[in-house]
């Protein structure tokens, strides 16, 4: 969550973080919409920047920011000043909502593709190779991989996420995800090679 901390370091109006956020929050609690507008002016752009990096889509990022501020407007007491600053709380909520939005969009996209292309060609060679092995054997082989490789492959092959989505969910660069998946697949091929050969001989 380092990116949340970075985003929260200073509001975009130049004031020190949290200088009078508590006062604005208190005004929102009693229903002052103008106070909500001031908080939006202060943190809206940073919230959008964070959501955009996770969602990789302008419209989706805008929806996330709007949802977060609506959540705060409807339930302002969800923010607890005893647990940290308003900016950190807000941007953490943006992070969670953005990740949820990516997951939902991915699920909708997969369902749409399945409905529109029932006879489409199957997954790529790597997907097919893993699919040719009994699920339990694949899980055992995955269990022998380093944690970061196992996580990336599990999200991609069991979760159905793209490499870009895996990067957003795990908080690591896309290039790192690609490297982890490539290395992990090479190791899996080494471990499962004989099983794949047996399966293809039948």
């Amino acid at each position: 969550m380092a990116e949340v901390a970075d985003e929260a370091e200073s509001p975009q109006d130049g004031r020190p973080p949290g200088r009078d956020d508590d006062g604005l929050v208190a005004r929102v609690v009693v229903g002052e919409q103008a106070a909500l507008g001031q908080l939006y002016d202060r943190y809206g752009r940073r919230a959008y920047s964070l959501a955009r990096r996770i969602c990789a889509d302008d419209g989706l990022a805008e929806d996330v920011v709007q949802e977060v501020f609506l959540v705060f407007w409807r339930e302002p007491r969800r923010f607890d000043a005893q647990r940290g600053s308003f900016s950190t709380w807000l941007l953490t909520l943006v992070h969670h909502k953005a990740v949820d939005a990516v997951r939902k969009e991915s699920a909708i996209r997969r369902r749409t593709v399945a409905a529109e292309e029932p006879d489409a060609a199957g997954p790529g060679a790597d997907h097919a190779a893993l699919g040719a092995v009994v699920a339990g054997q694949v899980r055992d082989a995955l269990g022998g991989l380093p944690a970061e490789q196992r996580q990336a492959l599990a999200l991609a092959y069991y979760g159905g996420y793209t490499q870009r989505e895996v990067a957003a969910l795990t908080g690591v660069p896309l290039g790192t995800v690609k490297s982890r998946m490539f290395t992990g697949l090479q190791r899996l091929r080494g471990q499962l090679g004989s099983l794949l050969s047996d399966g293809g001989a039948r």
Side-chain angles (χ1 to χ4, degrees), residues 53-98:
R53 287 207 300 272
I54 295 171
C55 297
D57 179 273
D58 293 345
L60 197 57
E62 290 171 359
D63 290 343
V64 166
V65 174
Q66 182 178 19
E67 181 183 0
V68 166
F69 276 93
L70 281 175
V71 166
F72 175 59
W73 173 246
R74 291 167 180 163
E75 302 178 76
R77 296 184 187 278
R78 288 180 58 172
F79 166 63
D80 182 357
Q82 301 298 317
R83 301 180 63 180
S85 69
F86 173 77
S87 60
T88 298
W89 174 83
L90 178 77
L91 294 171
T92 298
L93 185 57
V94 169
H95 184 278
H96 291 324
K97 293 288 186 184

Side-chain angles (χ1 to χ4, degrees), residues 12-60:
Q12 57 209 40
D13 63 6
R15 295 189 181 93
R19 179 180 176 184
D20 58 352
D21 287 351
D22 290 347
L24 291 173
V25 169
R27 288 165 55 192
V28 172
V29 169
V30 297
E32 279 195 40
Q33 192 167 357
L36 179 69
Q38 287 181 261
L39 287 170
Y40 182 86
D41 289 343
R42 183 170 298 179
Y43 295 112
R45 190 168 63 203
R46 293 182 181 275
Y48 172 79
S49 176
L50 175 59
R52 178 64 178 77
R53 287 207 300 272
I54 295 171
C55 297
D57 179 273
D58 293 345
L60 197 57

Side-chain angles (χ1 to χ4, degrees), residues 136-160:
Q137 294 169 316
V138 176
R139 282 195 295 271
D140 289 343
L142 281 170
L145 297 178
E148 64 274 7
Q149 294 174 14
R150 182 171 64 250
Q151 180 189 46
L153 289 173
L155 285 171
Y157 291 101
Y158 290 114

Side-chain angles (χ1 to χ4, degrees), residues 1-9 50 53 88 91-92 95 170-172:
M1 302 288 280
E3 59 186 327
V4 172
D6 291 341
E7 291 287 351
E9 283 181 358
L50 175 59
R53 287 207 300 272
T88 298
L91 294 171
T92 298
H95 184 278
T170 57
V172 300

